[in-house]
Amino acid sequence: MWEALDVLGVARIDHGNRSLEDDVLLRRLAHEQVPLTMCPLSNLRLRVVADLAHHPLRPMMDRGLMVTVNSDDPAYFGGYVNQNYVAVSDALKLGRDEIALIVRNGIRASLMSASEKDKTLTEVDRVLAEIA
């Protein structure tokens, strides 16, 4: 990941599961808010984790990392984005505010223009206020 950040200048890291093994990297990822595109069901299918209850998403959130939830070739690994959200939410007992943070992270990490991001974030806030 260091080379991806320093040499390639990437804007986000796909997966990043093993970043928890490097405290210096963790501090950098948190400080710079580098998005990590997590794919829980793919990680389960590929045996990156034996059980979603042990997925690194929650510890990453606890460390202040900008995690997102995504699908990874859903036809092969199973699980579109919504299914990934439901599965990891159930397994890690994520609350409404934690899910909302992950959704916002995904918008902020997206390739949309700044104005599109602002509009979408406003819409997320509106919907959350309606269902509060």
Side-chain angles (χ1 to χ4, degrees):
M1 278 189 252
W2 285 103
E3 287 180 2
L5 294 167
D6 294 334
V7 177
L8 300 176
V10 299
R12 62 182 177 217
I13 302 284
D14 285 345
H15 307 288
N17 295 53
R18 297 190 60 192
S19 63
L20 291 171
E21 298 171 10
D22 184 336
D23 284 333
V24 176
L25 177 62
L26 284 175
R27 286 192 295 275
R28 179 177 179 181
L29 293 172
H31 175 74
E32 294 178 13
Q33 287 295 279
V34 176
L36 302 175
T37 61
M38 308 305 294
C39 301
L41 292 176
S42 168
N43 294 158
L44 184 63
R45 180 93 182 246
L46 292 172
R47 301 179 194 261
V48 174
V49 294
D51 185 304
L52 282 182
H54 301 112
H55 195 276
L57 188 129
R58 181 179 286 286
M60 289 174 161
M61 292 177 71
D62 293 344
R63 297 291 299 265
L65 301 183
M66 180 189 265
V67 296
T68 66
V69 169
N70 306 271
S71 60
D72 185 8
D73 198 356
Y76 184 75
F77 295 118
Y80 288 87
V81 174
N82 285 350
Q83 293 161 311
N84 275 270
Y85 268 100
V86 170
V88 79
S89 175
D90 290 345
L92 298 177
K93 310 293 187 243
L94 298 175
R96 177 182 183 265
D97 291 342
E98 292 163 314
I99 294 296
L101 175 62
I102 296 168
V103 169
R104 287 184 182 103
N105 287 347
I107 294 164
R108 290 183 185 111
S110 75
L111 300 176
M112 292 188 286
S113 69
S115 63
E116 290 173 310
K117 289 178 186 184
D118 290 342
K119 180 180 176 184
T120 306
L121 288 166
T122 298
E123 181 67 11
V124 167
D125 292 339
R126 184 191 64 75
V127 169
L128 287 170
E130 285 179 7
I131 62 173

